[in-house]
Amino acid sequence: ENVCPVINQSIEREPIAVYAAKHPDDRIRLSSSSGGIFTLLAESVIDEGGVVFGARFNENWEVVHSYTDTKEGLAPFRGSKYVQSNIGDSFVQIESFLKDGRKVMFTGTPCQVSGLKKYLRKEYDNLLTVDFICHGVPSPMVWHKYLKEEVTRQSGAVLTGVNFRNKSTGWKTFSLVMDFAEDINGSLKKYTLSTIFTDNVYMNAFLSNLSLRPSCYNCPAKSGKSGADISIGDFWGIEKIDSSYYDDLGASFVAINKSSFSLDIHKCNAITKSYREAVRYNPAILSPVNCHPMRNVFMRLSTTLGVTKAYQLCTSSNIICRALRKIYQSI
């Protein structure tokens, strides 16, 4: 109870400075969800002999937190993973590194950053915490069910890659891409399935707030309450705020929350923006999303019928679907 980040919420705070920023290497930007600033921050920590914690996929395509102390090891951490990550023993490892005097960068959701700070119970000068603008995290169960559906449709092919934010169709019209490999008569066939996020069932369930964890609808870490040193994310709306800065390859929102940290604006092509401008097109900075009225029904149906059918039943205007929704809501 003494360290619970829900019971002991921090105060709301506004950042000291806000920037729109881009990694100077377009290849890094293309492999990142927004402007690639995570990589710049992480590389600077590794250059100082530090370690970087982030979220990646494991061998079962579950999202887990782990760490690296090499620049090559940063690649799995790039890009959004729209699933709640398993922290595992990362907090224990972080405390050990900090006590050994190594610099540590931890990147996670605002609630994870808040949890880490409460767990440590003290401030460390060699800890850099970075959270991101969070819409909410989908249930790992829903992700597991969706993966099983997609792999089953491929008749024995093996899933070899997942990218929630592929930019081949643009930053604002990104696609969910899944790579597969199949052995056909001793010859390995590789192929890719790609759907723009607006046409993808999993992404639609996420963005319509059907698949989020219950805690996300009452997030205790919004409005700077996580205590993160830096906040990053997509700088949505930058084309309206500053059209000359927009190129559809991605731009990062960067908020500096700690006075002891400064951003090398020349290194990341950064321009100063106001917090009010950023919030206007990024409401998730300040407040949690509303719970979808069919959320509980969707979760129940997902376990029995699968994600695709559950989503269709919960969103279709078909009279039969509407009748079924009423039945399931009454159960």
Side-chain angles (χ1 to χ4, degrees):
E1 290 179 352
N2 289 334
V3 297
C4 174
V6 177
I7 297 174
N8 304 286
Q9 293 187 28
S10 301
I11 62 171
E12 296 183 5
R13 61 175 182 172
E14 291 192 5
I16 297 167
V18 170
Y19 302 92
K22 302 174 184 176
H23 196 287
D25 187 338
D26 285 347
R27 292 172 299 178
I28 298 295
R29 273 209 290 160
L30 284 171
S31 63
S32 306
S33 291
S34 47
I37 298 305
F38 159 78
T39 299
L40 275 179
L41 296 172
E43 287 179 340
S44 68
V45 171
I46 289 173
D47 285 339
E48 296 178 39
V51 295
V52 175
F53 283 77
R56 64 169 177 82
F57 289 109
N58 66 12
E59 63 278 4
N60 297 317
W61 299 107
E62 300 161 332
V63 180
V64 298
H65 257 76
S66 65
Y67 71 88
T68 184
D69 56 6
T70 69
K71 292 181 180 180
E72 294 75 20
L74 294 175
F77 296 157
R78 293 192 193 107
S80 300
K81 285 90 177 174
Y82 296 121
V83 191
Q84 181 180 3
S85 71
N86 187 338
I87 283 289
D89 58 358
S90 291
F91 288 4
V92 177
Q93 293 173 326
I94 289 169
E95 187 173 33
S96 178
F97 282 127
L98 292 171
K99 288 181 176 179
D100 287 343
R102 294 188 72 177
K103 186 163 186 177
V104 176
M105 172 176 161
F106 174 80
T107 305
T109 62
C111 61
Q112 288 173 336
V113 169
S114 180
L116 171 62
K117 286 183 169 287
K118 299 294 185 184
Y119 169 82
L120 294 173
R121 296 189 181 222
K122 60 174 285 188
E123 292 292 326
Y124 286 86
D125 292 336
N126 50 330
L127 173 64
L128 174 65
T129 53
V130 182
D131 69 6
F132 54 83
I133 303 172
C134 183
H135 178 87
V137 288
S139 158
M141 180 277 290
V142 174
W143 171 239
H144 174 74
K145 292 286 186 182
Y146 176 76
L147 270 188
K148 187 175 180 179
E149 290 174 31
E150 290 300 314
V151 172
T152 300
R153 289 191 185 102
Q154 302 314 307
S155 304
V158 176
L159 180 65
T160 60
V162 176
N163 186 346
F164 282 105
R165 294 282 300 274
N166 183 282
K167 293 180 182 176
S168 60
T169 50
W171 174 44
K172 293 179 67 178
T173 55
F174 61 86
S175 300
L176 193 159
V177 170
M178 304 177 78
D179 298 318
F180 290 90
E182 185 178 6
D183 188 337
I184 301 178
N185 299 323
S187 178
L188 190 64
K189 174 188 175 184
K190 296 181 180 180
Y191 61 97
T192 295
L193 297 180
S194 176
T195 51
I196 294 177
F197 76 95
T198 51
D199 298 328
N200 182 271
V201 166
Y202 184 83
M203 291 303 297
N204 278 322
F206 163 56
L207 293 171
S208 61
N209 310 330
L210 276 167
S211 60
L212 305 184
R213 302 310 304 265
S215 54
C216 295
Y217 306 112
N218 296 285
C219 178
K222 294 289 186 181
S223 299
K225 291 194 291 183
S226 73
D229 301 316
I230 303 171
S231 299
I232 59 177
D234 293 282
F235 207 125
W236 297 126
I238 190 64
E239 74 281 3
K240 299 181 180 69
I241 298 168
D242 190 338
S243 60
S244 64
Y245 198 76
Y246 174 73
D247 60 6
D248 206 28
L249 292 181
S252 289
F253 161 89
V254 183
I256 307 301
N257 304 316
K258 191 174 181 179
S259 58
S260 60
F261 185 88
S262 61
L263 188 70
D264 187 341
I265 61 175
H266 300 294
K267 192 175 182 179
C268 57
N269 189 24
I271 54 176
T272 304
K273 293 297 172 186
S274 75
Y275 187 50
R276 182 175 295 180
E277 284 178 315
V279 167
R280 180 180 179 187
Y281 299 101
N282 291 271
I285 296 172
L286 297 182
S287 55
V289 297
N290 294 321
C291 183
H292 193 289
M294 296 299 295
R295 188 264 177 195
N296 291 339
V297 174
F298 171 79
M299 297 301 287
R300 288 204 302 271
L301 292 176
S302 293
T303 61
T304 54
L305 302 179
V307 176
T308 301
K309 289 183 178 178
Y311 178 77
Q312 292 169 346
L313 280 171
C314 288
T315 60
S316 174
S317 59
N318 181 284
I319 189 170
I320 295 177
C321 291
R322 294 204 305 269
L324 287 171
R325 286 203 293 270
K326 288 186 177 180
I327 293 172
Y328 277 103
Q329 280 179 303
S330 64
I331 296 176

